[in-house]
Amino acid sequence: MKTDVEELTPTRVKLTVEVPFDELKPNLDKAYKEISQQVRIKGFRPGKVPAPLIDKYVGRGAVLQEAVNDALPELYGRAVEETEIFVLGQPEVEVTELEDGTQFAFTAEVDIRPKFEVPDYDGIEVVVDDAEVTDEQVEETVGNLRERFASLTTAERAVEEGDFATVDLVAKIDGAEVEDASTTGYSYEVGSKSAIEGLDEALVGLSAGEDKTFTGTLVGGEHAGEEAEITVTVQSVKVKNLPELDDEFAQLASEFDTIDELREDVRTRLGRQVRLQQLSEARDKALEALLEKVEIPLPEKVVEEEIGRRNQQLEQQLQMAGMTKEDYLADEEKSAEEFDTEVADAARLAVKGGFVLDQLAVQEELGVENEELSEYVVTQAMQMGVAPQQLAEYLTQNNQLPAIVSEVLRSKALNLVVEHVVVKDESGNVIDVDAVQRELNGETAEAEAETPDAEAGDTEAAEAAEAAGDEAAEETPAQAAEAAAEEAPTAEAKGDDAK
């Protein structure tokens, strides 16, 4: 087999592959066998029809086409392996020559990762936020906990801001009630601004049994965006009572005996959170700093796919939240053009970051161990709230393991970058990332040791993930390319020489 590579752009190539016809013999034999199972010719059982009769009744051309479509994925994978290119996505394949008994040739245009070297990143300096926990943050967190233990008592007075009012709402447009905008027994915190505009102002001053009508714009349902006459009737007025911040509250809301112990625990937990945020920020900024040192072209098709993925993800999130894209843009105070520009910029940065981390993994000869793959699967399962065993089986059945291997590999490459950068906080203090990571890991291990039943079944899941990942973890780039090629679309024979 002979393969030539023509660079169409820095991110797209055209492979021209010439194959001696003899190499198609196994595929031709397979094609005859499969067609023999399908045709019905008098005097012959299915699967026993001779090749000459298949040529006569079905046609040699149909056999050749079947053989070519069967051979293309493997031949394409071999061509990719021989030329040592890193392909992206599916190729556009065209059969250019098919001389029966003589020659077979095809071309494949495909996007590739651009060729480049990651520059030296040792000593890059990044600055992250200070890991400071203020008294105000501690009190805010304790206050939020206090809110969870608040109680409501009925008040024999008019509604005031901060009260909880149980109300009935009736919305009408042109005198006709809008059913999906009307409700009864709705408990609403007055002043929260979390319902239809105008409701808070209408409620203040009303007592139980009183009502008021106001004009508001509906935010949901088939009449969203339309103005309606809304009548709110107060059923009851309730006042929120917060418990005293004392030792009794600490014993009610936690495992601590005193309010001081509770506050200290909150400070410790907040401290851990800000240190985690520091590590995350260090990773993000280390990658940003590295990307600034690299200039590479990006395949437009890959960028477009990333833009589409991000838009689809946003649409799903908005749908779950019951919002429209217009509502979201209004909340963010952005125009559609500004939003599209931001998404496109973020997509380009993400694609570039993936390329750089992939190349760094190659340069540093990084690999993925089965234990790392298992740990990733278990961690993801915990975050998703599913059984690790179930996630491992899903990934295996849906051929997602190569993508997981790539993600773990990129994470290792980024960890390597972070190890070589100088991380300082805004106060100028150098942060020992490794030491902070070990400290946080120690706290995690200690917390897990205190709740031994929390991770029940993880060992079996890790073993399942490890077993599932054996092949994926050992897969070479060439094997990955061949696996991707197996999903490539078949090609119809084209060209004047095709027969």
Side-chain angles (χ1 to χ4, degrees):
M1 186 175 80
K2 177 185 176 184
T3 303
D4 292 325
V5 181
E6 177 187 355
E7 184 179 289
L8 303 177
T9 71
T11 60
R12 191 169 179 83
V13 297
K14 179 179 181 180
L15 301 177
T16 300
V17 184
E18 297 179 359
V19 184
F21 196 84
D22 290 346
E23 290 193 27
L24 290 180
K25 187 178 185 309
N27 307 99
L28 283 168
D29 293 341
K30 182 180 177 182
Y32 275 119
K33 184 176 180 181
E34 291 183 353
I35 294 175
S36 177
Q37 294 283 353
Q38 300 168 8
V39 299
R40 297 293 181 267
I41 297 179
K42 188 175 181 180
F44 295 93
R45 289 179 297 165
K48 301 298 183 180
V49 181
L53 287 180
I54 291 177
D55 289 342
K56 178 179 179 180
Y57 289 101
V58 179
R60 174 71 169 178
V63 179
L64 289 174
Q65 187 65 60
E66 182 80 16
V68 165
N69 284 337
D70 182 61
L72 273 175
E74 180 186 356
L75 294 173
Y76 169 71
R78 283 169 54 190
V80 168
E81 183 176 0
E82 290 175 3
T83 53
E84 297 181 343
I85 57 176
F86 195 109
V87 299
L88 305 168
Q90 298 301 324
E92 295 179 6
V93 178
E94 179 182 353
V95 175
T96 56
E97 185 178 358
L98 185 54
E99 289 285 352
D100 194 354
T102 305
Q103 183 81 3
F104 166 53
F106 68 93
T107 61
E109 290 189 19
V110 65
D111 288 326
I112 61 169
R113 192 179 68 194
K115 295 181 179 180
F116 66 99
E117 292 290 321
V118 179
D120 180 40
Y121 49 88
D122 194 40
I124 292 177
E125 186 172 310
V126 299
V127 179
V128 298
D129 293 337
D130 289 333
E132 179 185 8
V133 177
T134 65
D135 292 341
E136 290 77 12
Q137 290 172 314
V138 172
E139 292 307 314
E140 181 182 358
T141 304
V142 173
N144 291 337
L145 181 61
R146 186 188 183 196
E147 290 279 351
R148 293 171 55 187
F149 287 86
S151 59
L152 297 177
T153 56
T154 301
E156 300 298 334
R157 58 167 174 75
V159 174
E160 297 178 2
E161 189 165 311
D163 290 344
F164 280 79
T166 302
V167 302
D168 298 337
L169 291 170
V170 177
K172 293 182 179 181
I173 296 179
D174 296 331
E177 182 176 344
V178 181
E179 292 186 3
D180 61 5
S182 302
T183 186
T184 59
Y186 175 47
S187 180
Y188 179 69
E189 183 179 6
V190 182
S192 65
K193 305 291 184 182
S194 60
I196 192 168
E197 187 176 353
L199 178 60
D200 294 273
E201 293 78 6
L203 282 171
V204 173
L206 294 182
S207 298
E210 296 181 338
D211 62 69
K212 188 171 185 179
T213 300
F214 64 97
T215 301
T217 303
L218 301 180
V219 295
E222 60 177 306
H223 293 280
E226 298 182 35
E227 283 196 350
E229 294 295 318
I230 302 168
T231 300
V232 55
T233 303
V234 178
Q235 290 185 6
S236 64
V237 183
K238 294 184 178 180
V239 178
K240 179 169 60 177
N241 300 302
L242 295 172
E244 293 294 329
L245 287 177
D246 52 20
D247 293 347
E248 184 177 349
F249 169 71
Q251 294 165 19
L252 171 68
S254 71
E255 69 272 27
F256 300 104
D257 294 327
T258 68
I259 191 66
D260 290 338
E261 290 175 334
L262 173 59
R263 285 195 172 100
E264 188 58 33
D265 179 69
V266 168
R267 185 179 297 276
T268 299
R269 292 177 183 273
L270 289 176
R272 185 174 187 276
Q273 290 178 10
V274 295
R275 290 197 298 276
L276 280 171
Q277 291 169 357
Q278 270 192 331
L279 292 182
S280 178
E281 189 180 3
R283 288 170 63 85
D284 292 343
K285 291 194 171 182
L287 180 58
E288 289 175 8
L290 179 59
L291 295 184
E292 289 177 359
K293 301 182 68 174
V294 179
E295 287 296 331
I296 54 174
L298 302 177
E300 285 303 320
K301 186 178 293 185
V302 176
V303 174
E304 290 171 4
E305 289 175 353
E306 178 64 17
I307 292 174
R309 186 190 68 79
R310 288 170 177 259
N311 281 326
Q312 184 179 26
Q313 187 177 48
L314 176 64
E315 288 176 6
Q316 292 173 345
Q317 292 172 345
L318 292 177
Q319 191 174 22
M320 292 176 62
M323 293 179 63
T324 64
K325 188 174 180 179
E326 289 72 21
D327 295 334
Y328 170 77
L329 292 176
D331 289 345
E332 295 293 317
E333 298 182 349
K334 295 177 184 176
S335 67
E337 292 75 15
E338 290 172 333
F339 172 79
D340 290 341
T341 299
E342 287 184 6
V343 171
D345 290 342
R348 287 185 173 277
L349 196 62
V351 171
K352 181 180 179 181
F355 287 171
V356 170
L357 293 177
D358 287 341
Q359 178 60 26
L360 181 59
V362 172
Q363 286 180 211
E364 300 292 347
E365 299 181 348
L366 301 179
V368 177
E369 301 294 334
N370 286 333
E371 292 79 6
E372 295 169 322
L373 193 61
S374 303
E375 181 181 352
Y376 177 91
V377 172
V378 171
T379 302
Q380 290 297 310
M382 291 174 60
Q383 293 177 356
M384 295 168 63
V386 300
Q389 178 84 20
Q390 181 182 352
L391 179 59
E393 292 174 355
Y394 172 83
L395 294 173
T396 304
Q397 294 170 0
N398 290 273
N399 195 32
Q400 294 294 309
L401 287 174
I404 300 302
V405 170
S406 175
E407 191 167 341
V408 174
L409 200 56
R410 287 180 178 181
S411 180
K412 290 184 69 173
L414 182 54
N415 288 340
L416 186 62
V417 175
V418 175
E419 289 174 7
H420 287 78
V421 302
V422 177
V423 181
K424 293 183 178 180
D425 62 22
E426 291 181 336
S427 299
N429 302 308
V430 176
I431 299 173
D432 188 337
V433 173
D434 287 340
V436 174
Q437 187 68 66
R438 287 195 300 271
E439 176 189 351
L440 294 176
N441 287 343
E443 290 183 14
T444 302
E446 182 178 345
E448 291 176 350
E450 293 174 356
T451 55
D453 294 334
E455 307 299 331
D458 279 358
T459 301
E460 292 182 6
E463 291 174 354
E466 182 174 334
D470 281 341
E471 182 177 345
E474 297 170 0
E475 187 175 45
T476 65
Q479 290 171 329
E482 185 171 342
E486 291 178 357
E487 299 178 2
T490 59
E492 295 295 329
K494 296 181 181 179
D496 295 337
D497 296 330
K499 294 185 179 180

